[in-house]
Amino acid sequence: MRPSGRKLDELRAVSIETGFTKHAEGSALIKMGDTHVLCTATIEDRVPPFIKGSGLGWVTAEYGMLPRATNTRMRREAAMGKQGGRTVEIQRLIGRALRAGVDRSALGERQITIDCDVLQADGGTRCASITGGWVALKLAVNKLMKAGDVVSDPLVDPVAAISCGIYAGQPVLDLDYPEDSEAGVDGNFIMTGTGKLIEIQMSAEGSTYSRDQMNQLMDLAEKGVAELVEKQKAATA
Amino acid sequence: MRPSGRKLDELRAVSIETGFTKHAEGSALIKMGDTHVLCTATIEDRVPPFIKGSGLGWVTAEYGMLPRATNTRMRREAAMGKQGGRTVEIQRLIGRALRAGVDRSALGERQITIDCDVLQADGGTRCASITGGWVALKLAVNKLMKAGDVVSDPLVDPVAAISCGIYAGQPVLDLDYPEDSEAGVDGNFIMTGTGKLIEIQMSAEGSTYSRDQMNQLMDLAEKGVAELVEKQKAATA
Amino acid sequence: MRPSGRKLDELRAVSIETGFTKHAEGSALIKMGDTHVLCTATIEDRVPPFIKGSGLGWVTAEYGMLPRATNTRMRREAAMGKQGGRTVEIQRLIGRALRAGVDRSALGERQITIDCDVLQADGGTRCASITGGWVALKLAVNKLMKAGDVVSDPLVDPVAAISCGIYAGQPVLDLDYPEDSEAGVDGNFIMTGTGKLIEIQMSAEGSTYSRDQMNQLMDLAEKGVAELVEKQKAATA
Amino acid sequence: MRPSGRKLDELRAVSIETGFTKHAEGSALIKMGDTHVLCTATIEDRVPPFIKGSGLGWVTAEYGMLPRATNTRMRREAAMGKQGGRTVEIQRLIGRALRAGVDRSALGERQITIDCDVLQADGGTRCASITGGWVALKLAVNKLMKAGDVVSDPLVDPVAAISCGIYAGQPVLDLDYPEDSEAGVDGNFIMTGTGKLIEIQMSAEGSTYSRDQMNQLMDLAEKGVAELVEKQKAATA
Amino acid sequence: MRPSGRKLDELRAVSIETGFTKHAEGSALIKMGDTHVLCTATIEDRVPPFIKGSGLGWVTAEYGMLPRATNTRMRREAAMGKQGGRTVEIQRLIGRALRAGVDRSALGERQITIDCDVLQADGGTRCASITGGWVALKLAVNKLMKAGDVVSDPLVDPVAAISCGIYAGQPVLDLDYPEDSEAGVDGNFIMTGTGKLIEIQMSAEGSTYSRDQMNQLMDLAEKGVAELVEKQKAATA
Amino acid sequence: MRPSGRKLDELRAVSIETGFTKHAEGSALIKMGDTHVLCTATIEDRVPPFIKGSGLGWVTAEYGMLPRATNTRMRREAAMGKQGGRTVEIQRLIGRALRAGVDRSALGERQITIDCDVLQADGGTRCASITGGWVALKLAVNKLMKAGDVVSDPLVDPVAAISCGIYAGQPVLDLDYPEDSEAGVDGNFIMTGTGKLIEIQMSAEGSTYSRDQMNQLMDLAEKGVAELVEKQKAATA
């Protein structure tokens, strides 16, 4: 029934290649099917003004798409002179999601910036960014721990994200672009490796959904996140 | 237990004053306690390029806060030269939420813009904007119907929104600012008058939540939205 | 002869409601007929760099219009990415006018920002902003004096403003929008409670005026400002 | 008593060099003492959208200052990414002033843009821009008349401007920078060659003025403008 | 003598992987040592206004760097709200260089946009962009020819670019970042497969160079470009 | 053969008028035929952050064109809200070129900004800016030396620039606008008074050139720069 032939609760093929670029303190190229996102982590010895002197660290994120990551070319945001509303919304989500999984006191007063740049898009780029971004973050933190700059691991529980939606009347896991553009109801679930919820964003466009459907989607999300967390653990072992 | 002395499932005092300004096709000043939002609806006989000729209408929204709506003065976005990320995110949410409750074919090829300007803020401005915005939208549509420009009502089921969160370990309804700034988990539920879900945004900052808690919050939201819909109906009767 | 039926030297109905919003150190909603402006005053313990260490205070102003304050919707300046020329000109005028009535040495090294936001427009918004802005400023200064932070009143003489113009060949006081859009000559007079001049801006569009006419307009302005000052005194007593 | 040794009612040395640049339809370098402004006029066969089809012409103006026209270097507005409030205010004034002296119906449906660029500044740049700008405008209109594109002269009465102010307690004409930076009261008078008023902008900073003083300044202005109009006539004869 | 141990006239290891992304009409990931640039080509059936109706085609380019392509993180240009001077200069160069090798009449009235995004930087990104950009362009043109939309090949002679400079007193080919940051004289040579010159940019920072040195650099460039052209031909065969 | 009747290796009439404006530490109006550029030098006792404390000075440049310096009016960059790509490229070139001729250690830790503003354009504005900019720079440095702030002359060898190109199949010196707009190959040579090379930018648009032609152009450039340097020496003697 799904255009890709996948089962309703089946993820796309997932791969995470660490060390894809050499300068960043952590880097990973995550592929969820044809969605490819390059995630890098940058450590800096400064924090935003509002937490200076608090002893707490900060994790933030920026998101971008190469102009021809999509089927038709989108205008380059740098050339337009601003980040679009969708971009700003996504990068705020990624930062908030990753921070929820960080013990900021254990991290200490430093900032880690996660850059998520979509090289190729086929739906689900924000979820891939969170899942891959956590891997880049983990690699950077591992460096800090190896160097003795951080003593107790601030990343005890992985953070991963997956989209779910109602496609052709059925709840499905991990929508690709053909599904995403048809689904009247879809959203993203961000969870930890131990199954706790961090963020739910479930919206309808020209449609509504029931509480029953919401529960079915949440079941799918739990299954999908669990599988992604296994991939994250393997990549950062 | 709540700073305001309210019960866990108790809304703030709600009032909706229609016709607050005279030029708009619809206008309403909604007060949720000390949160006051002026909502206006503007009808235009044009639609965005991507639906031209489709016969469908469009509803969109813009959001703003007066600089001293808050406890300390915020910089004026027009003077800064751009809308902040939070503003863009909120106005996209308002537009999406209201559109979900519109029969765009019945509306016909015209656009209605809902402006939501916060005159005074005390938490929950985006929910108040959606609830009050729907009233302004309804008043504008009523004008179109009275004039015979629209024949069948495109707004069959009201749309309202309410925040919920976990404050001091308890699930609470309709957070005010003192609660909102302390809550580690909070979000917004957008629903229709018949209890269907339009959008859920539930996020944690430096915390997580369980599926049980999620269900408790959803129970609260259902109660709150039902009460708001009564107010909407009274205001637009 | 006037569209509103007013006499040539008659102001519109004037009301000033203080305390319209709760967060600001001073706030007032001024109504000049159908022109409604919300004015708030914010006190900050910092001054612009060019007077740091001088012992002098500063008063500045910002001006905005809600998108649907007018008969047809105007684009939101924050969304356009800049304040228009008219806005910048008006807010510079408001700041200059209010400063002229302030003993900056008595105020001491602090800044008061007056925000004037037009909720509904029907001509004369800049004059209403100055007159209402002075009330918000006065209320904020009263707080400083009550707290003992300021000892000698820096606002000895009120500042108010009124428009005059030549409509249908006759000099008229306090133009509303239908008059303003027809008048070839019109402008604004800013004066103090003791009848001193602060600023005159009298311009013609596609027309000219004589020195005699200028004198007649000045007579009208003196009468109008005197009446406004009474309202200001009553509101801040 | 004046720093320059001039009499109270004495203009600075005035010169107007036409044809300073070759591409513009009209150009003039006006010097008022050490204030030097290059004014050019550009004719275009299009008008702003709001008068399309009206048969009326349009005159508009833009103003700029070279970064080192002043005693200390100012940041280049193009590099800052926007025109400052003072610039916008001045160019709106120049356009409005020149338009007041134009028979827009005689001009026909075309636009003339006056660019006023300050090469060297010593006070009074906006007045010099108006006076010099009218010369550039007149030269461009002469070209249109010579070519038969315009039949009846749309510029029957010259437009010129001069500053006046109260310096060291005395009303003085044509303030240079040392006077301007000291004067608590100063402003600009824009008049026609036949003595009609177009615009008065008289403001006080940290001071006020009486109606008597206003009349004295107006007397000075009438004398100054009359002398400038003679220079304009000579330059465009 | 060179940090990398290369001979004076030795290129870094070069690889060109075509089809790196799937949506673009042509794509190539070019690696010159540790400099990796993703180049995509987008075909559109429209041309810039200034050549509309001319029957000629257009080729243009945009350039970007991921924030952590470099050793320390650079601010994202989209977030800063504009492309920096260096970016604008480089993308203008790439477009000009590629256009020089295009028979725009054979291409027909369509536009091809080459996006060059640096995934990892180690010196020479603009040369890699030109060399890799030509490959993406060629692949896109091949598609047009295969589809019969273009009949005669508009790309008869490849375009490639290489940097040269004076490092430690010696003329060297293809500078990497450690060399580039030390060289007082360096620049770029853009040539065709048949050895014709398209563009030379040779500049000195805090240094100068002689005509003899210029000739030696040109000899190196001819050798380097010839080798790159072989790689281009292999990749697009 | 040339539109102007000049010989192939003949410069336009060159004049350099120093002291054209009075506020700058150095100023010069350079005329290369109908290309007129006003160059000013501003000395400041601060340097960019990246060389603070190094003991080295800095020279930078900004470039602008008055809107009607050209045959048809160009939009004012300040009004557009940004400097165009061409502007940014040119001002980076001017700064780099002038810096190459400065002994930054002898200059000491101060910054000199060269503003080059084109009053009238007829081709070759960037070369005129460099040649005239060096004169303004030299005059400013002379002031520093006269005042004893700089002891050893940091400008030992003048810097000048000239364009060359292939026009109607012939190598020509100092292209004016009619030649420049026809030439398929053209560029700029920046050299010192002793014949050393600083920068070469030679590009082709829709064409290519041979190494032989490159050598002929370089011969022309050497002749032209030598003549310009004589003019610079005379102006700053």
Side-chain angles (χ1 to χ4, degrees):
Chain A
M1 179 217 88
R2 303 180 72 174
S4 60
R6 279 187 283 149
K7 281 177 286 180
L8 297 181
D9 65 351
E10 186 181 349
L11 290 180
R12 290 177 281 184
V14 180
S15 77
I16 303 178
E17 176 184 351
T18 58
F20 187 76
T21 62
K22 72 166 190 173
H23 296 301
E25 280 75 44
S27 79
L29 177 66
I30 183 168
K31 297 187 180 176
M32 306 272 302
D34 278 338
T35 289
H36 303 176
V37 185
L38 174 52
C39 307
T40 61
T42 298
I43 304 171
E44 287 167 303
D45 276 331
R46 55 181 190 80
V47 288
F50 59 91
I51 53 166
K52 228 170 205 164
S54 68
L56 301 174
W58 191 247
V59 171
T60 186
E62 287 189 8
Y63 171 91
M65 254 198 183
L66 297 196
R68 196 54 199 281
T70 43
N71 195 40
T72 54
R73 188 179 183 270
M74 296 179 313
R75 283 189 64 202
R76 187 177 289 266
E77 290 188 323
M80 285 195 293
K82 66 168 184 173
Q83 295 181 299
R86 183 185 164 277
T87 294
V88 171
E89 202 169 308
I90 291 176
Q91 68 191 12
R92 284 164 55 93
L93 171 66
I94 300 170
R96 205 163 56 228
L98 293 178
R99 267 197 306 281
V102 175
D103 178 341
R104 289 168 52 207
S105 162
L107 178 58
E109 208 162 317
R110 52 177 57 86
Q111 171 168 291
I112 303 185
T113 301
I114 306 300
D115 284 291
C116 301
D117 285 275
V118 180
L119 305 187
Q120 188 176 283
D122 188 41
T125 64
R126 78 189 71 190
C127 288
S129 295
I130 291 167
T131 306
W134 188 85
V135 170
L137 175 61
K138 178 70 175 174
L139 294 172
V141 164
N142 284 352
K143 260 194 195 165
L144 287 169
M145 293 188 69
K146 207 169 177 180
D149 294 330
V150 163
V151 186
S152 124
D153 191 350
L155 298 174
V156 289
D157 199 3
V159 173
I162 197 66
S163 74
C164 297
I166 300 174
Y167 173 77
Q170 299 275 13
V172 296
L173 179 67
D174 189 20
L175 289 76
D176 53 29
Y177 182 75
E179 292 169 334
D180 188 56
S181 54
E182 290 296 320
V185 174
D186 73 278
N188 306 290
F189 293 83
I190 307 170
M191 301 176 67
T192 71
T194 54
K196 290 188 193 120
L197 285 157
I198 288 178
E199 180 140 353
I200 296 172
Q201 290 197 333
M202 185 57 50
S203 61
E205 182 83 38
S207 178
T208 57
Y209 55 105
S210 68
R211 204 159 155 179
D212 263 6
Q213 288 173 310
M214 181 67 191
N215 278 322
Q216 291 172 313
L217 295 170
M218 198 140 11
D219 291 340
L220 284 177
E222 286 181 351
K223 174 178 182 295
V225 166
E227 291 174 28
L228 290 172
V229 167
E230 289 313 304
K231 297 281 183 181
Q232 290 177 314
K233 286 181 175 166
T236 57
Chain B
M1 183 215 87
R2 302 180 73 174
S4 59
R6 280 187 283 149
K7 283 178 286 182
L8 297 181
D9 66 350
E10 187 182 349
L11 290 180
R12 290 177 282 184
V14 180
S15 77
I16 302 178
E17 176 185 352
T18 59
F20 187 77
T21 62
K22 72 166 190 173
H23 295 302
E25 280 74 45
S27 80
L29 177 66
I30 183 168
K31 298 187 180 176
M32 305 273 300
D34 278 337
T35 289
H36 302 175
V37 185
L38 174 53
C39 307
T40 61
T42 297
I43 303 171
E44 287 167 303
D45 275 332
R46 55 180 190 82
V47 288
F50 59 90
I51 53 166
K52 224 168 208 168
S54 67
L56 300 175
W58 191 248
V59 172
T60 186
E62 287 189 8
Y63 171 92
M65 254 199 183
L66 297 197
R68 196 56 199 281
T70 44
N71 195 41
T72 54
R73 186 178 185 271
M74 297 179 313
R75 284 190 62 199
R76 189 177 287 267
E77 289 188 323
M80 287 194 293
K82 66 167 183 172
Q83 295 182 300
R86 182 186 165 277
T87 295
V88 171
E89 202 169 308
I90 291 176
Q91 69 192 10
R92 284 164 56 92
L93 172 66
I94 301 170
R96 204 163 57 228
L98 294 177
R99 267 196 309 280
V102 175
D103 178 342
R104 289 168 52 206
S105 160
L107 177 57
E109 207 162 317
R110 52 177 57 88
Q111 171 168 291
I112 303 185
T113 301
I114 305 300
D115 284 290
C116 301
D117 284 275
V118 180
L119 305 187
Q120 187 176 283
D122 187 41
T125 63
R126 79 189 69 189
C127 288
S129 296
I130 291 167
T131 306
W134 188 85
V135 170
L137 175 61
K138 178 72 176 174
L139 294 172
V141 165
N142 284 353
K143 261 194 194 161
L144 287 170
M145 293 187 68
K146 207 168 176 181
D149 294 330
V150 163
V151 186
S152 124
D153 191 348
L155 298 174
V156 289
D157 199 1
V159 173
I162 197 67
S163 74
C164 297
I166 299 173
Y167 173 76
Q170 299 275 14
V172 297
L173 180 67
D174 189 19
L175 289 76
D176 52 29
Y177 182 75
E179 293 169 333
D180 189 54
S181 54
E182 290 297 320
V185 173
D186 72 278
N188 306 290
F189 293 82
I190 308 170
M191 301 176 66
T192 71
T194 54
K196 289 185 194 123
L197 284 157
I198 288 177
E199 181 141 353
I200 297 173
Q201 290 197 334
M202 185 56 50
S203 62
E205 181 84 37
S207 179
T208 58
Y209 54 106
S210 68
R211 204 159 156 179
D212 262 7
Q213 288 174 309
M214 181 68 193
N215 278 322
Q216 291 172 313
L217 294 171
M218 197 140 12
D219 290 339
L220 285 177
E222 285 181 351
K223 173 177 182 295
V225 165
E227 292 173 28
L228 290 172
V229 167
E230 289 313 304
K231 298 280 182 182
Q232 290 177 315
K233 286 181 175 165
T236 56
Chain C
M1 181 218 88
R2 302 179 73 174
S4 60
R6 279 188 284 150
K7 282 178 285 180
L8 298 182
D9 65 351
E10 187 181 349
L11 290 179
R12 290 175 282 182
V14 180
S15 77
I16 303 177
E17 177 185 351
T18 58
F20 187 76
T21 62
K22 71 165 191 173
H23 295 301
E25 280 75 45
S27 80
L29 178 66
I30 184 168
K31 297 187 180 177
M32 306 272 302
D34 278 339
T35 289
H36 303 176
V37 185
L38 174 53
C39 307
T40 60
T42 297
I43 304 172
E44 288 166 303
D45 276 331
R46 54 179 191 82
V47 288
F50 60 90
I51 53 165
K52 227 171 206 165
S54 68
L56 300 174
W58 191 248
V59 172
T60 187
E62 287 189 8
Y63 172 91
M65 255 198 183
L66 298 196
R68 197 55 200 281
T70 44
N71 196 39
T72 53
R73 188 177 184 272
M74 296 179 314
R75 284 189 63 201
R76 189 176 287 267
E77 290 188 323
M80 285 194 294
K82 66 168 184 173
Q83 295 181 301
R86 181 185 166 278
T87 294
V88 172
E89 202 169 309
I90 291 175
Q91 69 192 12
R92 283 164 57 92
L93 172 66
I94 301 169
R96 207 164 53 228
L98 293 178
R99 269 195 306 279
V102 175
D103 179 342
R104 289 168 51 208
S105 162
L107 178 57
E109 208 162 317
R110 52 177 58 84
Q111 171 168 291
I112 303 184
T113 301
I114 306 299
D115 284 290
C116 301
D117 285 275
V118 180
L119 304 188
Q120 188 176 283
D122 187 40
T125 64
R126 78 189 73 189
C127 288
S129 296
I130 291 168
T131 305
W134 188 85
V135 171
L137 175 60
K138 179 71 175 172
L139 294 171
V141 165
N142 284 353
K143 260 195 195 165
L144 287 170
M145 294 187 68
K146 208 168 176 180
D149 293 330
V150 163
V151 186
S152 125
D153 191 347
L155 297 175
V156 288
D157 200 2
V159 173
I162 197 67
S163 74
C164 296
I166 299 174
Y167 173 76
Q170 300 273 14
V172 297
L173 180 68
D174 189 18
L175 289 76
D176 52 28
Y177 182 75
E179 292 169 334
D180 189 55
S181 54
E182 289 297 320
V185 173
D186 73 278
N188 305 290
F189 293 83
I190 307 170
M191 301 177 67
T192 71
T194 54
K196 291 189 193 120
L197 285 157
I198 287 177
E199 181 140 352
I200 297 173
Q201 290 197 334
M202 185 55 52
S203 61
E205 182 82 38
S207 178
T208 58
Y209 55 105
S210 69
R211 205 160 153 178
D212 264 7
Q213 288 173 309
M214 180 69 191
N215 278 321
Q216 292 173 314
L217 294 171
M218 198 142 10
D219 290 341
L220 284 177
E222 285 180 353
K223 175 177 181 296
V225 165
E227 292 174 26
L228 290 172
V229 166
E230 289 313 305
K231 298 279 184 184
Q232 290 178 314
K233 285 181 175 164
T236 58
Chain D
M1 181 216 87
R2 302 180 72 173
S4 60
R6 279 188 282 149
K7 282 179 285 181
L8 298 181
D9 66 351
E10 188 182 347
L11 290 180
R12 290 176 282 183
V14 179
S15 78
I16 303 177
E17 177 185 350
T18 58
F20 187 77
T21 62
K22 72 166 191 175
H23 295 301
E25 280 75 45
S27 80
L29 178 66
I30 184 168
K31 298 187 180 176
M32 306 273 301
D34 278 337
T35 289
H36 303 175
V37 185
L38 174 52
C39 306
T40 61
T42 297
I43 304 171
E44 287 167 302
D45 276 332
R46 55 181 189 83
V47 289
F50 59 91
I51 52 167
K52 225 170 208 167
S54 67
L56 301 174
W58 191 249
V59 172
T60 187
E62 287 189 6
Y63 171 91
M65 256 198 182
L66 298 197
R68 197 54 200 281
T70 44
N71 195 42
T72 54
R73 186 176 185 273
M74 296 178 314
R75 283 190 63 199
R76 189 177 288 267
E77 290 188 322
M80 285 194 294
K82 67 169 181 171
Q83 296 181 300
R86 181 185 165 276
T87 294
V88 171
E89 200 169 309
I90 291 176
Q91 68 192 11
R92 282 164 56 93
L93 171 67
I94 300 170
R96 204 163 58 226
L98 293 177
R99 269 196 306 279
V102 174
D103 179 343
R104 289 167 51 205
S105 161
L107 178 58
E109 207 161 316
R110 51 177 60 85
Q111 171 168 291
I112 303 184
T113 301
I114 306 299
D115 284 290
C116 301
D117 285 275
V118 180
L119 305 187
Q120 188 176 282
D122 188 41
T125 63
R126 80 188 70 190
C127 287
S129 295
I130 291 168
T131 305
W134 188 85
V135 171
L137 174 61
K138 178 71 176 174
L139 294 172
V141 164
N142 284 354
K143 260 196 196 160
L144 287 170
M145 294 188 67
K146 208 167 174 181
D149 293 330
V150 163
V151 186
S152 124
D153 191 349
L155 298 174
V156 289
D157 200 2
V159 173
I162 197 67
S163 74
C164 297
I166 298 174
Y167 173 76
Q170 300 274 14
V172 298
L173 180 67
D174 189 18
L175 289 77
D176 53 29
Y177 182 75
E179 293 169 333
D180 189 56
S181 54
E182 290 297 320
V185 173
D186 73 277
N188 306 290
F189 293 83
I190 307 171
M191 302 177 65
T192 70
T194 53
K196 288 186 194 121
L197 284 157
I198 287 177
E199 180 141 352
I200 296 173
Q201 290 198 333
M202 184 58 49
S203 62
E205 180 83 38
S207 179
T208 58
Y209 54 105
S210 69
R211 203 157 156 180
D212 264 7
Q213 288 173 311
M214 180 68 191
N215 278 322
Q216 291 172 314
L217 294 171
M218 196 139 15
D219 291 341
L220 284 177
E222 285 181 350
K223 176 179 180 294
V225 165
E227 291 175 27
L228 290 173
V229 165
E230 288 313 304
K231 298 280 183 181
Q232 290 177 315
K233 286 180 174 164
T236 57
Chain E
M1 183 216 85
R2 303 180 72 174
S4 59
R6 280 187 284 149
K7 281 179 285 178
L8 298 182
D9 65 351
E10 188 181 348
L11 290 179
R12 291 176 281 183
V14 180
S15 77
I16 303 177
E17 177 185 351
T18 59
F20 187 77
T21 62
K22 72 167 191 174
H23 296 302
E25 280 75 43
S27 80
L29 177 67
I30 183 168
K31 298 187 181 177
M32 307 272 301
D34 278 337
T35 290
H36 303 175
V37 185
L38 174 52
C39 307
T40 61
T42 298
I43 304 172
E44 288 167 302
D45 275 332
R46 54 179 190 82
V47 288
F50 60 90
I51 53 167
K52 226 170 206 166
S54 68
L56 300 175
W58 190 247
V59 172
T60 187
E62 287 189 7
Y63 171 92
M65 254 199 185
L66 298 196
R68 196 54 199 281
T70 44
N71 196 40
T72 54
R73 187 177 184 271
M74 297 179 313
R75 285 189 61 200
R76 190 177 287 267
E77 290 189 322
M80 286 194 294
K82 67 169 183 169
Q83 295 181 300
R86 181 185 166 276
T87 295
V88 172
E89 202 170 307
I90 290 176
Q91 70 191 11
R92 283 164 55 92
L93 172 66
I94 301 170
R96 206 163 56 228
L98 293 178
R99 269 196 305 281
V102 175
D103 179 341
R104 290 168 51 206
S105 162
L107 178 57
E109 208 161 317
R110 53 177 58 86
Q111 171 169 291
I112 303 184
T113 301
I114 306 299
D115 285 290
C116 301
D117 285 275
V118 180
L119 304 188
Q120 187 176 283
D122 188 41
T125 64
R126 80 189 70 189
C127 288
S129 295
I130 291 167
T131 305
W134 188 85
V135 170
L137 174 62
K138 179 71 177 174
L139 294 172
V141 165
N142 284 353
K143 260 195 196 163
L144 287 170
M145 293 187 68
K146 207 167 176 182
D149 294 329
V150 163
V151 185
S152 123
D153 191 347
L155 298 174
V156 288
D157 200 1
V159 173
I162 197 67
S163 74
C164 297
I166 299 174
Y167 173 76
Q170 299 275 14
V172 297
L173 180 67
D174 188 18
L175 289 76
D176 53 30
Y177 182 74
E179 292 169 333
D180 189 55
S181 54
E182 289 297 319
V185 173
D186 72 277
N188 306 291
F189 293 83
I190 307 170
M191 302 177 66
T192 70
T194 54
K196 289 185 194 124
L197 285 156
I198 287 177
E199 181 141 352
I200 297 173
Q201 290 197 333
M202 184 57 50
S203 61
E205 182 83 38
S207 176
T208 59
Y209 55 105
S210 69
R211 202 157 156 181
D212 262 8
Q213 288 174 310
M214 180 68 191
N215 278 322
Q216 292 173 312
L217 294 170
M218 196 140 13
D219 290 341
L220 285 177
E222 284 181 352
K223 175 178 180 294
V225 165
E227 292 174 27
L228 290 172
V229 167
E230 290 312 305
K231 297 281 184 182
Q232 291 177 313
K233 285 181 175 164
T236 57
Chain F
M1 180 216 88
R2 302 179 73 172
S4 60
R6 279 187 284 151
K7 282 178 287 180
L8 298 181
D9 65 352
E10 188 182 347
L11 289 180
R12 291 177 282 183
V14 180
S15 78
I16 303 177
E17 177 186 350
T18 59
F20 187 76
T21 62
K22 71 165 190 174
H23 295 301
E25 280 75 44
S27 80
L29 178 66
I30 184 168
K31 298 187 179 175
M32 306 272 303
D34 277 338
T35 289
H36 302 176
V37 185
L38 175 52
C39 307
T40 60
T42 297
I43 304 172
E44 287 166 302
D45 276 332
R46 53 178 191 83
V47 288
F50 60 89
I51 53 165
K52 227 171 205 165
S54 69
L56 300 175
W58 191 249
V59 172
T60 186
E62 287 189 8
Y63 171 92
M65 257 198 181
L66 298 196
R68 197 53 200 281
T70 43
N71 195 41
T72 53
R73 186 177 186 273
M74 295 179 313
R75 283 190 64 200
R76 188 178 288 266
E77 289 188 325
M80 285 194 293
K82 67 168 184 171
Q83 296 181 299
R86 182 186 165 276
T87 294
V88 171
E89 199 169 310
I90 291 176
Q91 68 192 12
R92 283 165 54 93
L93 172 66
I94 300 169
R96 205 163 56 227
L98 293 178
R99 268 196 306 279
V102 175
D103 179 342
R104 288 167 53 207
S105 162
L107 178 58
E109 209 162 316
R110 51 178 58 85
Q111 172 168 291
I112 302 184
T113 302
I114 306 299
D115 283 291
C116 301
D117 285 276
V118 180
L119 305 187
Q120 188 176 282
D122 187 40
T125 63
R126 78 189 72 189
C127 288
S129 295
I130 291 167
T131 305
W134 188 86
V135 170
L137 174 62
K138 178 70 176 173
L139 294 171
V141 164
N142 284 353
K143 259 194 196 166
L144 287 171
M145 293 187 69
K146 209 169 174 179
D149 293 331
V150 163
V151 187
S152 125
D153 192 348
L155 298 174
V156 289
D157 200 2
V159 173
I162 197 67
S163 75
C164 296
I166 299 174
Y167 173 76
Q170 300 275 13
V172 298
L173 180 67
D174 189 19
L175 288 76
D176 53 28
Y177 182 75
E179 292 169 335
D180 189 55
S181 54
E182 290 297 321
V185 174
D186 74 277
N188 306 290
F189 293 83
I190 307 171
M191 301 176 67
T192 70
T194 54
K196 290 186 194 124
L197 285 156
I198 287 177
E199 181 141 352
I200 297 173
Q201 291 197 333
M202 183 58 50
S203 61
E205 181 83 40
S207 178
T208 58
Y209 55 105
S210 70
R211 205 160 154 179
D212 263 6
Q213 287 173 310
M214 181 68 191
N215 279 322
Q216 291 173 314
L217 294 170
M218 198 142 10
D219 291 340
L220 284 176
E222 285 182 351
K223 176 178 180 298
V225 166
E227 292 175 26
L228 290 172
V229 166
E230 289 312 304
K231 298 281 184 183
Q232 290 177 313
K233 286 182 175 165
T236 57

